[in-house]
Amino acid sequence: MAAEKWVYMVTAQTPTNIAVIKYWGKRDEVRILPVNDSISVTLDPDHLCTVTTVAVSPSYDRDRMWLNGKEISLSGSRYQNCLREIRSRGGDVEDKEKGVKIEKKDWERLNLHIASHNNFPTAAGLASSAAGFACLGILFFSLAKLMNVEEDPSQLSAIARQGSGSACRSLFGGFVKWKMGSKDDGSDSVAVQLADEKHWDDLVIIIAVVSSRQKETSSTSGMRESVETSLLLQHRAKVRSLLGSCAKTDCANGGSY
């Protein structure tokens, strides 16, 4: 790694997504593994999106992140897990024009500055955690370019999932399925694209924001309560997984949802 005090950065845009077959409950809280498959539609990033800039420099003394101009803590386990996973996948990077040369081993000690902005109300029910953690999701996409990570979006989605479950679906456009998986380590719980954004050209989604207040009950708390108290949860999960399989088959045959 060169000794000069350089700054190297990448900016990326992530859309939010809206679930049409929702996941609601986790079989593993730490790895963020759902009790059923889910399917979402990715919204047009020209209207609803998160823009994230990630910068790396030997002059940074610690990892820092700002969301909508306000600094937030990165001490939480979800952030730390995500950052550790992406750092472990970093490769060699060289930009002769900027005088930047980073070796794979350097990513473990280089610190990051992350600035993310939602152009829609945060934590108000518009999947902002999905877009915000695909700030970690797209942060992965951004860092994948920044760190020369050679993995496809489905592989990266498994990392984004550890920040926010819904975030893994924002790495694709169009209709996206998040597979619940069956392995204990979550390696098969990934997102895959069912159909691209051109599949249903005349589909229009209208978002009416009636309040920009942060919702009183977070999705995480609501899901946990459902898992602990709902007698019907497992039955609902089975139905949702069956619907997801039907939707995938219909899409593969060229149909519309």
Side-chain angles (χ1 to χ4, degrees):
M1 183 172 59
E4 291 80 11
K5 299 300 183 182
W6 44 262
V7 175
Y8 188 56
M9 65 179 64
V10 168
T11 298
Q13 185 183 60
T14 310
T16 187
N17 68 74
I18 297 296
V20 291
I21 298 177
K22 191 173 180 63
Y23 98 95
W24 194 253
K26 306 181 184 76
R27 60 185 175 91
D28 187 317
E29 289 275 352
V30 176
R31 294 184 174 90
I32 319 294
L33 301 178
V35 297
N36 62 276
D37 296 343
S38 64
I39 291 179
S40 67
V41 58
T42 302
L43 303 185
D44 188 339
D46 289 339
H47 298 285
L48 294 177
C49 69
T50 292
V51 176
T52 299
T53 296
V54 57
V56 61
S57 173
S59 64
Y60 297 159
D61 61 356
R62 66 187 190 282
D63 292 332
R64 301 177 70 184
M65 181 174 177
W66 293 262
L67 178 60
N68 294 336
K70 181 179 180 181
E71 186 166 5
I72 63 174
S73 172
L74 289 175
S75 61
S77 60
R78 289 192 183 188
Y79 284 104
Q80 291 303 312
N81 289 342
C82 292
L83 292 174
R84 181 174 60 253
E85 288 287 338
I86 196 66
R87 278 187 165 111
S88 70
R89 290 163 167 78
D92 297 337
V93 173
E94 183 172 11
D95 188 326
K96 293 181 179 179
E97 184 178 337
K98 296 180 179 179
V100 175
K101 185 176 182 180
I102 306 171
E103 296 180 0
K104 178 179 177 63
K105 61 182 176 61
D106 295 327
W107 292 115
E108 294 297 330
R109 58 192 180 89
L110 279 170
N111 291 304
L112 304 168
H113 282 188
I114 306 157
S116 188
H117 178 78
N118 294 332
N119 71 351
F120 53 90
T122 302
L126 287 172
S128 56
S129 65
F133 264 101
C135 87
L136 281 178
I138 209 60
L139 170 58
F140 299 140
F141 182 73
S142 303
L143 283 176
K145 294 190 296 181
L146 188 80
M147 296 182 177
N148 196 24
V149 175
E150 297 181 355
E151 294 192 18
D152 63 34
S154 281
Q155 292 173 307
L156 291 177
S157 76
I159 309 174
R161 184 201 74 232
Q162 297 176 53
S164 166
S166 302
C168 69
R169 299 186 309 236
S170 282
L171 293 179
F172 297 89
F175 289 88
V176 183
K177 180 177 182 178
W178 173 18
K179 299 178 180 179
M180 62 177 289
S182 59
K183 296 181 179 179
D184 290 340
D185 65 359
S187 59
D188 58 346
S189 182
V190 299
V192 294
Q193 188 182 61
L194 298 180
D196 65 23
E197 56 274 13
K198 297 179 181 178
H199 175 70
W200 196 350
D201 276 339
D202 56 353
L203 175 66
V204 176
I205 297 176
I206 298 175
I207 306 294
V209 180
V210 297
S211 174
S212 60
R213 289 189 310 161
Q214 183 171 330
K215 55 189 177 185
E216 295 179 3
T217 302
S218 70
S219 295
T220 298
S221 297
M223 289 184 193
R224 186 178 297 119
E225 184 172 351
S226 294
V227 170
E228 293 173 351
T229 64
S230 175
L231 300 177
L232 300 176
L233 180 68
Q234 295 303 321
H235 300 289
R236 287 175 17 221
K238 289 180 182 178
V239 170
R240 286 171 176 164
S241 291
L242 287 172
L243 287 172
S245 298
C246 292
K248 181 178 180 180
T249 301
D250 187 49
C251 180
N253 292 334
S256 298
Y257 298 96

